[in-house]
Amino acid sequence: MANSALEIVGLLLTLIGLIGAAASTGMPMWRVTAFIGENIIVFETRYEGLWMNCFRQADIRMQCKVYDSLLALSPDLQAARGLMCCSLALGGLGLLISLLGLQCTSCIQNNDRAKRLVLIIAGSMVIMACICVLIPVSWTGHVIIRDFYNPLLIDAQRRELGEALYIGWVSSAFLFAGGCMFICCNLQSEDKGSDRYMYSRNSQYMAYPPQPLQPQQLVLPPQPQPQPLLSRHPSTIYSYHSRYPSVRSAVAYL
């Protein structure tokens, strides 16, 4: 019962992390214009994402333009595109596979070991998705911070950390927690319940046809011989043989 609750919690954490990773992939707020100058009146804000550039002027709605060429992007954004797509694929597959191994589902019946193995595989895929999210987000953040403190760049070329990076870090934490929950609870169950369910998993049942009943001879056990009873009163009937003839035998002889 406890493992079933932990599995549901891990499923919810993985789902939240997957939604956050998808939002971070599609959002253009990876790099935001840094306002460092003395002028505090800002009329234009520039956003740079994985797929497009966006501009916003004052209260006017945002205008975006998709990148014309992939090769024109910086190396960190090129790697981020591939890794974020891999993270979404791994997280989605891990989430679907985990549904097969939950104790509250009946996709795999009468095989607890297979269910635990499925959840361990799903948890491993979710952790791999977490790594694929964490690498591009941290790499892009490192590049932004490095360029921000670069004295060779002017203020207009400096950028700040966007909202998509923070969402990516939080999503990777949710994915890591969900994957670890899938793996840890099932590894502990494997150690504790391996001996308890050994017979039920490996036993093979065979049905035998009914055999006709055959009559058999009744064999009685040998009856014990009756033992002579001893009495306190003398009896006139003697059943033993004596070497000396009695009076009755002498009369009969005459």
Side-chain angles (χ1 to χ4, degrees):
M1 187 64 183
N3 283 349
S4 179
L6 290 176
E7 290 169 1
I8 294 176
V9 172
L11 182 67
L12 294 177
L13 292 176
T14 304
L15 182 60
I16 295 173
L18 186 60
I19 294 174
S24 178
T25 304
M27 291 175 61
M29 291 83 172
W30 282 62
R31 299 166 182 254
V32 184
T33 304
F35 302 103
I36 310 172
E38 298 178 355
N39 188 7
I40 62 174
I41 301 176
V42 179
F43 293 98
E44 183 179 275
T45 305
R46 182 177 179 180
Y47 302 99
E48 297 177 8
L50 299 180
W51 313 98
M52 63 189 73
N53 275 335
C54 296
F55 295 89
R56 171 176 288 176
Q57 296 179 354
D59 295 334
I60 304 175
R61 63 181 180 178
M62 184 182 299
Q63 297 179 354
C64 298
K65 180 184 177 182
V66 181
Y67 293 121
D68 297 330
S69 175
L70 175 64
L71 300 178
L73 299 176
S74 58
D76 57 328
L77 290 182
Q78 292 181 11
R81 275 190 176 186
L83 289 174
M84 293 301 290
C85 293
C86 290
S87 69
L88 294 178
L90 288 173
L93 288 177
L95 188 66
L96 293 177
I97 291 175
S98 65
L99 294 176
L100 303 177
L102 295 178
Q103 295 184 8
C104 58
T105 60
S106 59
C107 298
I108 302 176
Q109 298 180 355
N110 301 327
N111 198 341
D112 294 337
R113 185 176 183 181
K115 280 194 170 186
R116 287 192 291 269
L117 184 61
V118 166
L119 285 179
I120 290 173
I121 294 174
S124 302
M125 296 179 69
V126 172
I127 292 179
M128 292 174 63
C130 163
I131 296 174
C132 290
V133 173
L134 193 60
I135 290 176
V137 171
S138 301
W139 188 5
T140 304
H142 168 71
V143 172
I144 292 174
I145 295 173
R146 183 194 62 189
D147 293 341
F148 187 85
Y149 293 105
N150 188 359
L152 300 178
L153 296 178
I154 61 176
D155 294 341
Q157 294 177 339
R158 289 185 172 91
R159 298 291 182 266
E160 290 184 353
L161 302 176
E163 294 86 348
L165 299 181
Y166 296 104
I167 295 176
W169 280 317
V170 175
S171 301
S172 63
F174 275 101
L175 290 173
F176 182 76
C180 289
M181 200 163 293
F182 279 145
I183 293 176
C184 294
C185 66
N186 287 283
L187 286 178
Q188 187 177 4
S189 293
E190 183 72 21
D191 296 337
K192 289 184 177 180
S194 57
D195 297 335
R196 182 181 302 175
Y197 302 101
M198 179 87 58
Y199 178 78
S200 62
R201 290 198 305 265
N202 299 331
S203 59
Q204 297 180 357
Y205 300 97
M206 298 180 62
Y208 294 94
Q211 300 292 336
L213 297 178
Q214 297 180 0
Q216 296 182 359
Q217 185 179 1
L218 182 62
V219 179
L220 297 177
Q223 298 293 334
Q225 296 294 333
Q227 298 295 331
L229 300 176
L230 300 179
S231 178
R232 296 180 180 180
H233 306 283
S235 175
T236 57
I237 300 175
Y238 301 95
S239 58
Y240 60 89
H241 300 281
S242 175
R243 297 189 335 187
Y244 303 100
S246 61
V247 178
R248 293 185 179 180
S249 59
V251 172
Y253 178 74
L254 293 176

